[in-house]
């Protein structure tokens, strides 16, 4: 029963998490007849570390899982990590670069083995950090996108889509990263505005009778030009359509074609067409049956299709030489500064090159229609709903998905080639050999699948598909996906399409889209800005100097490092104090509203550490007053509940209702606020003080009732708050539960509190509201009269004698009164200030400063007159009276009456003083 004097989160966290995990409390249940609740963890990169976005989303997911587990549902929070093809391969390649070794030096098999070693070494970092957050995933079911079961699902999906004609191989223009030497998706390309140039070039007519002026931002690509296009209705060039121009620097002629793609008002109205290196030109080339000429190698150097003097040059070196040659040969007419959008790879930041290569694609049109229908029908709902528009826009304009990547780390494409170039798609090499025949020698495709291909299967592959499992039957569709808006396209849409296609069901019923976690100034967190906050540092604390070192170590730019150090010292002069996991989780919950990014304020986190302290100290108070005493467990003994007990029980019901609704609509901020107000404002600040009075009662039944209420309400509060702050609630519940007659190994296995409307006592709630006003009015009088907090003073009160008699013990204690006199008609004719509360008048019997009291009354009268004017304005507005609910109009009328009654009493007081 002993509870430490102070709340020390680290020791509690270290003690309880291993207990929960080792006892299997997180494991999924499959009990017949119970509703199912399942969340799929968006699998973080296996070699990644926890950032604030993870910590925020994991807090919300864990809150939901703990809440539904306590509601008695079959719950599964499915954890796992993603192999993160490009990201992981880059990490290992950089390690090898530091040793002057390339992956090509090692060879594919040895390199992949190195990646597996790195995964084993670093892959558990993020899951260890997740445990520090208190996440209650079913770790016994942890998956990895390249484990045996999920790899089998990937092969099965690929083969089935190929057999259905939805996967095909073809030479298509793709985004090519020449540093990674692989295709990348549109979603992995970041286009930013940069300063560049527009070069105007002269293309002589083959007839020798004139020229066309062509504008370009990429002069090096003219080596691959196959036409010049003009608009068919452009009067300037209509007569030239069908003729040819000589291609500068090249020994060939190209045709002049007409195409409506050309904007006659832009530039000269003549556009060079390079189908092998521009997406728009590729479409034009297809329409006109032009053969593309690819002039770059895969590492973006001029290949042997370019003139010999440029072959082997990097594309930007080639640009310089080509421009010099164009100028020397009088083909360069003009150079203009020009702003342009430059596409760069999000991993390497290298300029992306449109490249014509052989790739594997998934045909998306049919699946996209199904994906749109699932949201339109309400099978899948976005929260907030506005993200539906973003989802729809992308699917309505979807392109076929290039799923092949020229990497070594990932799921190797299940296709095998014979010596003649024929390929065989199969689930295994043996199956492919059967298709090809025993005499064929087969080699597997070198490419791997896009990381998002396996991620798209996550909702059903982790549940055992393609086998028919009990988990698949129980938990699909899952309940909610908690994710950021940035992967709606990458992941959410693809999961919906793939899951529907292969299981006939949606992957989840709701998608809760969270905002971004930003710093206290509203800036996006990034390493370059030096404003990243490590959630583990918030939990454990970090000194200012260690924080500065963490943010600046490894920076190549000394000025940038100095700027970041200065900013850090200004924002966090004391570093981060150790807040503990619960305070951080409560902070995240309190900030989790709909449709807004989150400004993470360290002071708020410190404030919620104080909240945890408040809950801890309230428990210590309860134990000191109830331990070893009768707490009403013996039902043969009388128990008397006072109106204060009935009020806090009613207030508990109200909170239960609010929290239940808040979790239902993903308003974690409202749930956190309801818990905070119940604990801090009501239970601690009011009920504990009222209980002290009742514990001194001469009535054993009253004392027993008070102790029982103290214990039972606190035990219920601990269960209510557990999903958000699991560690402190577990520690305290273990001490409180026996007094409340509860048994069990953990609070997380207890039933979540449910509202009991029969326990709502409106009269007790009204009485406490009135008592609070009276106590606050007395405190207000003391403050205005500068009465020392330690000094007890007498009170004279006019009003309902029965009510005042009931309130007297509480008023005396909480307003620090020496005695309280109740009068029936008028207050004494003295100059002391009077507070008006409804039909009550209160006077402290002490000498007063008449001038100060007149000033106080005048201010309060002016305030009330302003409120009366506002109320008259509302009630005199026909639109308000007609449109507002009747209850709102009635409430406004009651406010007006109360203002007028109080004003009359204060004016009477002021008249006496004058």
């Amino acid at each position: 029963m002993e509870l430490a004097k102070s709340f020390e989160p680290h020791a509690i966290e270290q003690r309880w998490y291993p207990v929960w995990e080792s006892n299997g409390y997180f494991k999924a249940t499959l009990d017949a007849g119970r509703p199912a609740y399942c969340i799929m963890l968006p699998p973080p990169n296996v070699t990644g570390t926890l950032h604030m976005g993870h910590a925020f989303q994991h807090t919300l997911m864990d809150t939901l899982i703990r809440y539904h587990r306590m509601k008695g549902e079959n719950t599964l929070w499915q954890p796992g990590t993603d192999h993160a093809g490009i990201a992981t391969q880059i990490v290992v390649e950089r390690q090898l670069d530091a040793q002057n070794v390339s992956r090509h030096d090692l060879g594919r098999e040895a390199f992949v083995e190195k990646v597996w070693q790195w995964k084993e070494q670093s892959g558990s970092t993020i899951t260890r950090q997740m445990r520090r957050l208190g996440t209650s995933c079913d770790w016994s079911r942890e998956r990895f996108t390249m484990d045996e079961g999920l790899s089998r699902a990937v092969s099965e999906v690929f083969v089935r889509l190929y057999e259905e004609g939805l996967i095909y191989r073809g030479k298509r223009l793709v985004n090519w990263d020449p540093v990674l030497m692989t295709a990348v998706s549109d979603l992995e390309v970041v286009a930013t505005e940069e300063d560049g140039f527009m070069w105007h070039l002269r293309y002589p007519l083959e007839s020798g009778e004139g020229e066309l002026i062509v504008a370009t931002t990429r002069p090096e690509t003219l080596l691959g030009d196959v036409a010049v296009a003009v608009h068919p209705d452009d009067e300037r060039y209509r007569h030239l359509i069908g003729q040819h121009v000589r291609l500068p620097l090249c020994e060939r002629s190209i045709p002049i074609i007409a195409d409506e793609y050309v904007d006659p008002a832009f530039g000269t109205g003549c556009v060079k067409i390079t189908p092998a290196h521009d997406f728009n030109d590729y479409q034009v080339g297809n329409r006109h049956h032009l053969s593309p000429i690819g002039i770059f190698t895969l590492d973006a150097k001029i290949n042997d299709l370019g003139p010999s003097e440029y072959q082997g040059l990097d594309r930007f070196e080639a640009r310089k030489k080509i421009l010099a040659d164009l100028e020397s040969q009088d083909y360069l007419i003009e150079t203009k500064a020009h702003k342009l959008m430059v596409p760069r790879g999000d991993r390497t930041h290298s300029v992306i090159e449109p490249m014509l290569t052989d790739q594997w694609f998934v045909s998306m049109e049919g699946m996209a229609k199904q994906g749109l229908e699932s949201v339109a029908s309400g099978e899948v709902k976005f929260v907030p709903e506005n993200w539906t528009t973003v989802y729809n826009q992308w699917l309505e304009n979807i392109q076929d998905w290039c799923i092949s990547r020229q990497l070594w780390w990932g799921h190797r494409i299940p296709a095998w080639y014979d010596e003649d170039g024929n390929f065989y798609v199969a689930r295994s090499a043996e199956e492919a050999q059967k298709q090809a025949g025993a005499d064929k020698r087969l080699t597997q495709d070198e490419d791997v699948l896009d990381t998002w291909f396996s991620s798209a299967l996550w909702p059903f592959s982790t549940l055992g598909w393609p086998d028919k499992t009990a988990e698949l039957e129980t938990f699909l569709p899952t309940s909610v996906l908690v994710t950021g808006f940035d992967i709606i396209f990458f992941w959410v849409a693809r999961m919906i399409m793939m899951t529907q296609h292969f299981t006939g069901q949606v992957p989840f019923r709701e998608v809760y889209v969270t905002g971004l976690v930003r710093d206290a100034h509203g800036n996006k967190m990034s390493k370059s800005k030096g404003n990243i906050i490590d959630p583990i540092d918030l939990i454990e604390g970090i000194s200012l100097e260690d924080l500065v070192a963490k943010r600046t170590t490894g920076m190549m730019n000394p000025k940038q490092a100095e700027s970041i150090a200065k900013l850090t010292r200004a924002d966090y002069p004391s570093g981060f104090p150790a807040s503990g996991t619960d305070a951080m989780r409560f902070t995240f919950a309190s900030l989790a509203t709909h449709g807004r990014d989150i400004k993470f304020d360290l002071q708020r986190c410190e404030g919620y550490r104080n909240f945890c302290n408040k809950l801890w100290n309230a428990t210590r108070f309860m134990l000191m007053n109830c331990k070893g005493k009768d707490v009403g467990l013996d039902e043969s003994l009388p128990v008397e509940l006072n109106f204060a007990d009935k009020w806090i029980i009613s207030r508990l019901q109200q909170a239960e209702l609010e929290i239940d609704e808040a979790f239902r609509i993903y308003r974690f901020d409202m749930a956190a606020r309801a818990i905070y107000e119940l604990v801090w404002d009501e239970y601690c600040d009011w009920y504990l003080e009222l209980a002290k009075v009742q514990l001194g009662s001469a009535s054993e039944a009253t004392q027993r009732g008070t102790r029982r209420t103290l214990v039972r309400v606190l035990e219920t509060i601990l269960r209510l708050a557990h999903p958000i702050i699991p560690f402190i609630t577990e520690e305290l519940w273990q001490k409180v539960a026996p007094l409340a007659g509860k048994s069990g190994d953990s609070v997380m296995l207890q039933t979540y509190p449910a509202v009991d409307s029969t326990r709502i006592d409106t009269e007790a709630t009204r009485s406490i509201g009135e008592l609070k006003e009276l106590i606050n009015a007395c405190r207000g009088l003391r403050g205005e009269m500068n009465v020392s907090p330690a000094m007890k003073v007498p009170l004279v009160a006019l009003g309902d004698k029965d009510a005042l008699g009931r309130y007297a013990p509480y008023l005396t204690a909480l307003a620090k009164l020496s005695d309280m006199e109740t009068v029936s008609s008028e207050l004494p004719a003295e100059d002391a200030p009077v507070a008006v509360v409804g039909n009550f008048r209160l006077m402290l019997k002490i000498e007063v400063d008449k001038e100060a009291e007149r000033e106080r009354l005048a201010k309060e009268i002016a305030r009330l007159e302003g409120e009366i004017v506002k109320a008259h304005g509302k009630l005199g507005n026909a639109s308000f009276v007609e449109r507002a609910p009747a209850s709102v109009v009635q409430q406004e009328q009651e406010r007006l009456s109360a203002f007028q009654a109080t004003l009359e009493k204060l004016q009477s007081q002021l008249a006496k003083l004058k």
Side-chain angles (χ1 to χ4, degrees), residues 615-636:
L615 183 58
W616 187 271
N617 290 333
T619 306
R620 290 191 75 236
F621 170 85
M622 184 280 294
L623 291 173
M624 284 189 289
N625 285 278
C626 299
K627 185 175 67 173
K629 296 179 182 176
D630 184 356
V631 292
L633 291 179
D634 185 347
E635 298 195 5
S636 66

PDB file of all heavy atoms in Angstrom, residues 615-636:
ATOM      1  N   LEU A 615      -2.008  14.002  -9.882  1.00  0.00           N
ATOM      2  CA  LEU A 615      -2.710  12.725  -9.739  1.00  0.00           C
ATOM      3  C   LEU A 615      -2.017  11.850  -8.692  1.00  0.00           C
ATOM      4  O   LEU A 615      -2.680  11.176  -7.884  1.00  0.00           O
ATOM      5  CB  LEU A 615      -2.743  12.017 -11.102  1.00  0.00           C
ATOM      6  CG  LEU A 615      -3.501  10.696 -11.197  1.00  0.00           C
ATOM      7  CD1 LEU A 615      -4.956  10.864 -10.788  1.00  0.00           C
ATOM      8  CD2 LEU A 615      -3.411  10.132 -12.619  1.00  0.00           C
ATOM      9  N   TRP A 616      -0.706  11.876  -8.699  1.00  0.00           N
ATOM     10  CA  TRP A 616       0.081  11.105  -7.730  1.00  0.00           C
ATOM     11  C   TRP A 616      -0.217  11.574  -6.301  1.00  0.00           C
ATOM     12  O   TRP A 616      -0.477  10.762  -5.403  1.00  0.00           O
ATOM     13  CB  TRP A 616       1.569  11.282  -8.055  1.00  0.00           C
ATOM     14  CG  TRP A 616       2.500  10.437  -7.255  1.00  0.00           C
ATOM     15  CD1 TRP A 616       3.081  10.746  -6.057  1.00  0.00           C
ATOM     16  CD2 TRP A 616       2.982   9.130  -7.606  1.00  0.00           C
ATOM     17  NE1 TRP A 616       3.902   9.718  -5.633  1.00  0.00           N
ATOM     18  CE2 TRP A 616       3.851   8.715  -6.571  1.00  0.00           C
ATOM     19  CE3 TRP A 616       2.761   8.274  -8.678  1.00  0.00           C
ATOM     20  CZ2 TRP A 616       4.507   7.490  -6.591  1.00  0.00           C
ATOM     21  CZ3 TRP A 616       3.422   7.059  -8.700  1.00  0.00           C
ATOM     22  CH2 TRP A 616       4.271   6.663  -7.671  1.00  0.00           C
ATOM     23  N   ASN A 617      -0.187  12.892  -6.108  1.00  0.00           N
ATOM     24  CA  ASN A 617      -0.410  13.442  -4.765  1.00  0.00           C
ATOM     25  C   ASN A 617      -1.846  13.229  -4.294  1.00  0.00           C
ATOM     26  O   ASN A 617      -2.090  13.029  -3.100  1.00  0.00           O
ATOM     27  CB  ASN A 617      -0.052  14.931  -4.743  1.00  0.00           C
ATOM     28  CG  ASN A 617       1.447  15.149  -4.883  1.00  0.00           C
ATOM     29  OD1 ASN A 617       2.242  14.276  -4.513  1.00  0.00           O
ATOM     30  ND2 ASN A 617       1.844  16.278  -5.436  1.00  0.00           N
ATOM     31  N   ALA A 618      -2.800  13.266  -5.226  1.00  0.00           N
ATOM     32  CA  ALA A 618      -4.186  12.986  -4.858  1.00  0.00           C
ATOM     33  C   ALA A 618      -4.323  11.556  -4.356  1.00  0.00           C
ATOM     34  O   ALA A 618      -5.053  11.278  -3.395  1.00  0.00           O
ATOM     35  CB  ALA A 618      -5.096  13.210  -6.070  1.00  0.00           C
ATOM     36  N   THR A 619      -3.600  10.645  -4.986  1.00  0.00           N
ATOM     37  CA  THR A 619      -3.627   9.241  -4.560  1.00  0.00           C
ATOM     38  C   THR A 619      -2.991   9.102  -3.172  1.00  0.00           C
ATOM     39  O   THR A 619      -3.501   8.347  -2.322  1.00  0.00           O
ATOM     40  CB  THR A 619      -2.899   8.350  -5.588  1.00  0.00           C
ATOM     41  OG1 THR A 619      -3.475   8.571  -6.879  1.00  0.00           O
ATOM     42  CG2 THR A 619      -3.023   6.881  -5.231  1.00  0.00           C
ATOM     43  N   ARG A 620      -1.894   9.819  -2.944  1.00  0.00           N
ATOM     44  CA  ARG A 620      -1.249   9.769  -1.625  1.00  0.00           C
ATOM     45  C   ARG A 620      -2.222  10.283  -0.549  1.00  0.00           C
ATOM     46  O   ARG A 620      -2.315   9.712   0.537  1.00  0.00           O
ATOM     47  CB  ARG A 620       0.030  10.615  -1.610  1.00  0.00           C
ATOM     48  CG  ARG A 620       1.155  10.021  -2.451  1.00  0.00           C
ATOM     49  CD  ARG A 620       2.482  10.727  -2.202  1.00  0.00           C
ATOM     50  NE  ARG A 620       3.032  10.333  -0.918  1.00  0.00           N
ATOM     51  CZ  ARG A 620       3.372  11.181   0.059  1.00  0.00           C
ATOM     52  NH1 ARG A 620       3.209  12.466  -0.101  1.00  0.00           N
ATOM     53  NH2 ARG A 620       3.857  10.740   1.191  1.00  0.00           N
ATOM     54  N   PHE A 621      -2.940  11.367  -0.845  1.00  0.00           N
ATOM     55  CA  PHE A 621      -3.912  11.905   0.104  1.00  0.00           C
ATOM     56  C   PHE A 621      -4.981  10.851   0.409  1.00  0.00           C
ATOM     57  O   PHE A 621      -5.348  10.618   1.568  1.00  0.00           O
ATOM     58  CB  PHE A 621      -4.560  13.171  -0.461  1.00  0.00           C
ATOM     59  CG  PHE A 621      -5.723  13.648   0.345  1.00  0.00           C
ATOM     60  CD1 PHE A 621      -5.528  14.464   1.456  1.00  0.00           C
ATOM     61  CD2 PHE A 621      -7.034  13.283   0.017  1.00  0.00           C
ATOM     62  CE1 PHE A 621      -6.605  14.905   2.213  1.00  0.00           C
ATOM     63  CE2 PHE A 621      -8.116  13.710   0.769  1.00  0.00           C
ATOM     64  CZ  PHE A 621      -7.897  14.523   1.872  1.00  0.00           C
ATOM     65  N   MET A 622      -5.495  10.233  -0.662  1.00  0.00           N
ATOM     66  CA  MET A 622      -6.540   9.233  -0.472  1.00  0.00           C
ATOM     67  C   MET A 622      -6.022   8.074   0.382  1.00  0.00           C
ATOM     68  O   MET A 622      -6.708   7.618   1.322  1.00  0.00           O
ATOM     69  CB  MET A 622      -7.020   8.723  -1.838  1.00  0.00           C
ATOM     70  CG  MET A 622      -8.189   7.744  -1.785  1.00  0.00           C
ATOM     71  SD  MET A 622      -7.702   6.051  -1.373  1.00  0.00           S
ATOM     72  CE  MET A 622      -6.726   5.635  -2.798  1.00  0.00           C
ATOM     73  N   LEU A 623      -4.824   7.588   0.095  1.00  0.00           N
ATOM     74  CA  LEU A 623      -4.281   6.457   0.851  1.00  0.00           C
ATOM     75  C   LEU A 623      -4.072   6.820   2.316  1.00  0.00           C
ATOM     76  O   LEU A 623      -4.365   6.035   3.224  1.00  0.00           O
ATOM     77  CB  LEU A 623      -2.968   5.996   0.231  1.00  0.00           C
ATOM     78  CG  LEU A 623      -3.065   5.315  -1.152  1.00  0.00           C
ATOM     79  CD1 LEU A 623      -1.681   5.065  -1.724  1.00  0.00           C
ATOM     80  CD2 LEU A 623      -3.844   4.008  -1.060  1.00  0.00           C
ATOM     81  N   MET A 624      -3.588   8.047   2.552  1.00  0.00           N
ATOM     82  CA  MET A 624      -3.351   8.465   3.938  1.00  0.00           C
ATOM     83  C   MET A 624      -4.648   8.535   4.737  1.00  0.00           C
ATOM     84  O   MET A 624      -4.663   8.302   5.934  1.00  0.00           O
ATOM     85  CB  MET A 624      -2.647   9.831   3.958  1.00  0.00           C
ATOM     86  CG  MET A 624      -1.175   9.754   3.601  1.00  0.00           C
ATOM     87  SD  MET A 624      -0.299  11.317   3.869  1.00  0.00           S
ATOM     88  CE  MET A 624      -0.956  12.319   2.555  1.00  0.00           C
ATOM     89  N   ASN A 625      -5.739   8.842   4.045  1.00  0.00           N
ATOM     90  CA  ASN A 625      -7.020   9.004   4.745  1.00  0.00           C
ATOM     91  C   ASN A 625      -7.890   7.763   4.715  1.00  0.00           C
ATOM     92  O   ASN A 625      -8.899   7.707   5.428  1.00  0.00           O
ATOM     93  CB  ASN A 625      -7.785  10.191   4.145  1.00  0.00           C
ATOM     94  CG  ASN A 625      -7.209  11.516   4.582  1.00  0.00           C
ATOM     95  OD1 ASN A 625      -7.489  12.010   5.665  1.00  0.00           O
ATOM     96  ND2 ASN A 625      -6.364  12.092   3.724  1.00  0.00           N
ATOM     97  N   CYS A 626      -7.517   6.801   3.884  1.00  0.00           N
ATOM     98  CA  CYS A 626      -8.392   5.622   3.742  1.00  0.00           C
ATOM     99  C   CYS A 626      -7.706   4.302   4.088  1.00  0.00           C
ATOM    100  O   CYS A 626      -8.379   3.311   4.369  1.00  0.00           O
ATOM    101  CB  CYS A 626      -8.926   5.538   2.310  1.00  0.00           C
ATOM    102  SG  CYS A 626      -9.920   6.964   1.828  1.00  0.00           S
ATOM    103  N   LYS A 627      -6.374   4.273   4.006  1.00  0.00           N
ATOM    104  CA  LYS A 627      -5.656   3.026   4.274  1.00  0.00           C
ATOM    105  C   LYS A 627      -5.910   2.563   5.707  1.00  0.00           C
ATOM    106  O   LYS A 627      -5.788   3.338   6.658  1.00  0.00           O
ATOM    107  CB  LYS A 627      -4.154   3.245   4.046  1.00  0.00           C
ATOM    108  CG  LYS A 627      -3.319   1.989   4.175  1.00  0.00           C
ATOM    109  CD  LYS A 627      -1.870   2.246   3.808  1.00  0.00           C
ATOM    110  CE  LYS A 627      -1.208   3.171   4.817  1.00  0.00           C
ATOM    111  NZ  LYS A 627       0.244   3.301   4.559  1.00  0.00           N
ATOM    112  N   GLY A 628      -6.320   1.312   5.849  1.00  0.00           N
ATOM    113  CA  GLY A 628      -6.562   0.738   7.167  1.00  0.00           C
ATOM    114  C   GLY A 628      -7.858   1.190   7.805  1.00  0.00           C
ATOM    115  O   GLY A 628      -8.113   0.916   8.978  1.00  0.00           O
ATOM    116  N   LYS A 629      -8.689   1.913   7.012  1.00  0.00           N
ATOM    117  CA  LYS A 629      -9.962   2.407   7.556  1.00  0.00           C
ATOM    118  C   LYS A 629     -11.112   1.809   6.756  1.00  0.00           C
ATOM    119  O   LYS A 629     -10.928   1.249   5.681  1.00  0.00           O
ATOM    120  CB  LYS A 629      -9.996   3.924   7.518  1.00  0.00           C
ATOM    121  CG  LYS A 629      -8.926   4.553   8.408  1.00  0.00           C
ATOM    122  CD  LYS A 629      -8.952   6.048   8.333  1.00  0.00           C
ATOM    123  CE  LYS A 629      -7.824   6.638   9.217  1.00  0.00           C
ATOM    124  NZ  LYS A 629      -7.747   8.092   9.107  1.00  0.00           N
ATOM    125  N   ASP A 630     -12.291   1.971   7.294  1.00  0.00           N
ATOM    126  CA  ASP A 630     -13.489   1.433   6.648  1.00  0.00           C
ATOM    127  C   ASP A 630     -13.812   2.266   5.405  1.00  0.00           C
ATOM    128  O   ASP A 630     -14.087   3.465   5.500  1.00  0.00           O
ATOM    129  CB  ASP A 630     -14.653   1.490   7.643  1.00  0.00           C
ATOM    130  CG  ASP A 630     -15.925   0.853   7.081  1.00  0.00           C
ATOM    131  OD1 ASP A 630     -15.908   0.452   5.905  1.00  0.00           O
ATOM    132  OD2 ASP A 630     -16.915   0.776   7.828  1.00  0.00           O
ATOM    133  N   VAL A 631     -13.731   1.650   4.233  1.00  0.00           N
ATOM    134  CA  VAL A 631     -14.003   2.355   2.977  1.00  0.00           C
ATOM    135  C   VAL A 631     -15.322   1.886   2.349  1.00  0.00           C
ATOM    136  O   VAL A 631     -15.529   2.003   1.140  1.00  0.00           O
ATOM    137  CB  VAL A 631     -12.840   2.184   1.971  1.00  0.00           C
ATOM    138  CG1 VAL A 631     -11.609   2.914   2.454  1.00  0.00           C
ATOM    139  CG2 VAL A 631     -12.543   0.709   1.738  1.00  0.00           C
ATOM    140  N   GLY A 632     -16.198   1.334   3.178  1.00  0.00           N
ATOM    141  CA  GLY A 632     -17.528   0.978   2.714  1.00  0.00           C
ATOM    142  C   GLY A 632     -17.628  -0.351   2.014  1.00  0.00           C
ATOM    143  O   GLY A 632     -18.618  -0.624   1.336  1.00  0.00           O
ATOM    144  N   LEU A 633     -16.614  -1.217   2.178  1.00  0.00           N
ATOM    145  CA  LEU A 633     -16.684  -2.535   1.538  1.00  0.00           C
ATOM    146  C   LEU A 633     -17.657  -3.453   2.277  1.00  0.00           C
ATOM    147  O   LEU A 633     -18.238  -4.352   1.680  1.00  0.00           O
ATOM    148  CB  LEU A 633     -15.291  -3.169   1.495  1.00  0.00           C
ATOM    149  CG  LEU A 633     -14.264  -2.510   0.549  1.00  0.00           C
ATOM    150  CD1 LEU A 633     -12.928  -3.222   0.638  1.00  0.00           C
ATOM    151  CD2 LEU A 633     -14.762  -2.484  -0.883  1.00  0.00           C
ATOM    152  N   ASP A 634     -17.831  -3.217   3.578  1.00  0.00           N
ATOM    153  CA  ASP A 634     -18.764  -4.015   4.377  1.00  0.00           C
ATOM    154  C   ASP A 634     -20.171  -3.435   4.201  1.00  0.00           C
ATOM    155  O   ASP A 634     -20.501  -2.391   4.762  1.00  0.00           O
ATOM    156  CB  ASP A 634     -18.347  -3.975   5.853  1.00  0.00           C
ATOM    157  CG  ASP A 634     -19.222  -4.897   6.710  1.00  0.00           C
ATOM    158  OD1 ASP A 634     -20.283  -5.345   6.206  1.00  0.00           O
ATOM    159  OD2 ASP A 634     -18.859  -5.138   7.868  1.00  0.00           O
ATOM    160  N   GLU A 635     -20.966  -4.093   3.394  1.00  0.00           N
ATOM    161  CA  GLU A 635     -22.268  -3.544   3.030  1.00  0.00           C
ATOM    162  C   GLU A 635     -23.289  -3.596   4.173  1.00  0.00           C
ATOM    163  O   GLU A 635     -24.383  -3.049   4.063  1.00  0.00           O
ATOM    164  CB  GLU A 635     -22.811  -4.262   1.790  1.00  0.00           C
ATOM    165  CG  GLU A 635     -21.905  -4.053   0.583  1.00  0.00           C
ATOM    166  CD  GLU A 635     -22.580  -4.440  -0.718  1.00  0.00           C
ATOM    167  OE1 GLU A 635     -23.776  -4.771  -0.700  1.00  0.00           O
ATOM    168  OE2 GLU A 635     -21.892  -4.395  -1.745  1.00  0.00           O
ATOM    169  N   SER A 636     -22.914  -4.247   5.274  1.00  0.00           N
ATOM    170  CA  SER A 636     -23.843  -4.284   6.414  1.00  0.00           C
ATOM    171  C   SER A 636     -23.797  -2.989   7.212  1.00  0.00           C
ATOM    172  O   SER A 636     -24.688  -2.706   8.020  1.00  0.00           O
ATOM    173  CB  SER A 636     -23.495  -5.460   7.334  1.00  0.00           C
ATOM    174  OG  SER A 636     -22.226  -5.252   7.944  1.00  0.00           O
TER     175      SER A 636
END
